[in-house]
Amino acid sequence: MDPFTKTYTDLDRAIDEVRTLSDDWPVSQQDGAIDDETLHCTCLVLHEWIANLHQHARFRNGTPMVEIRLTCDAERVTCSVLDNSDGFDLTSYLPADDEDPEAFPERGMGLRIIKTCTDDLSYSPTEDGLHCFEFIIPSDHDPWLNTLF
């Protein structure tokens, strides 16, 4: 399947639209390409990532650019989000696996959600001066998180 690509310069619009990404994403769920729970986790991760960019990122020239690229097959959803922000070191902000989180803290749940829902998570600069957030959600992921959202 060809990648589904969507580009935004309005992050408010991007946050709203990724919630209903499944309406636009041409995925044949009848063919078993992706299940509803995997799609839900994908939308949740994208929402949290773009919301974090909106709230915390500094964008060159003041105008944000975010491009979402999604592909899927029966085994996984693969996603990359390119942005023109100044970037940051994601690993220094991710919670440690053995860290005991406060029950529903006011801040910091977004990165926990992202880490819990994904495999092979990374955020790094690209050769053309952008930053790329990449993740995989396997089709056999544990859907326990869906009961919270």
Side-chain angles (χ1 to χ4, degrees), residues 65-78:
M65 185 286 301
V66 174
E67 179 181 289
I68 300 168
R69 296 178 186 166
L70 290 160
T71 58
C72 76
D73 58 34
E75 288 82 38
R76 73 189 59 82
V77 171
T78 304

Side-chain angles (χ1 to χ4, degrees), residues 22 25-40:
S22 58
W25 193 9
V27 175
S28 175
Q29 292 174 307
Q30 292 78 22
D31 296 336
I34 185 173
D35 60 74
D36 288 338
E37 291 174 357
T38 304
L39 185 57
H40 175 74

Side-chain angles (χ1 to χ4, degrees), residues 41 44-45 112-119 136-138 145:
C41 281
L44 183 60
V45 168
R112 287 185 190 284
I113 291 167
I114 290 170
K115 186 175 179 183
T116 301
C117 288
T118 61
D119 284 353
I136 293 173
I137 299 179
L145 190 64

Side-chain angles (χ1 to χ4, degrees), residues 13-89:
R13 182 171 157 233
I15 290 168
D16 289 340
E17 286 189 11
V18 296
R19 291 180 188 155
T20 59
L21 185 65
S22 58
D23 297 342
D24 297 329
W25 193 9
V27 175
S28 175
Q29 292 174 307
Q30 292 78 22
D31 296 336
I34 185 173
D35 60 74
D36 288 338
E37 291 174 357
T38 304
L39 185 57
H40 175 74
C41 281
T42 302
C43 293
L44 183 60
V45 168
L46 286 170
H47 178 270
E48 290 299 324
W49 184 257
I50 294 170
N52 278 339
L53 286 175
H54 188 288
Q55 185 171 11
H56 302 291
R58 291 184 317 159
F59 290 90
R60 291 178 219 133
N61 303 324
T63 302
M65 185 286 301
V66 174
E67 179 181 289
I68 300 168
R69 296 178 186 166
L70 290 160
T71 58
C72 76
D73 58 34
E75 288 82 38
R76 73 189 59 82
V77 171
T78 304
C79 183
S80 63
V81 181
L82 293 162
D83 70 69
N84 66 336
S85 74
D86 291 339
F88 65 98
D89 178 20

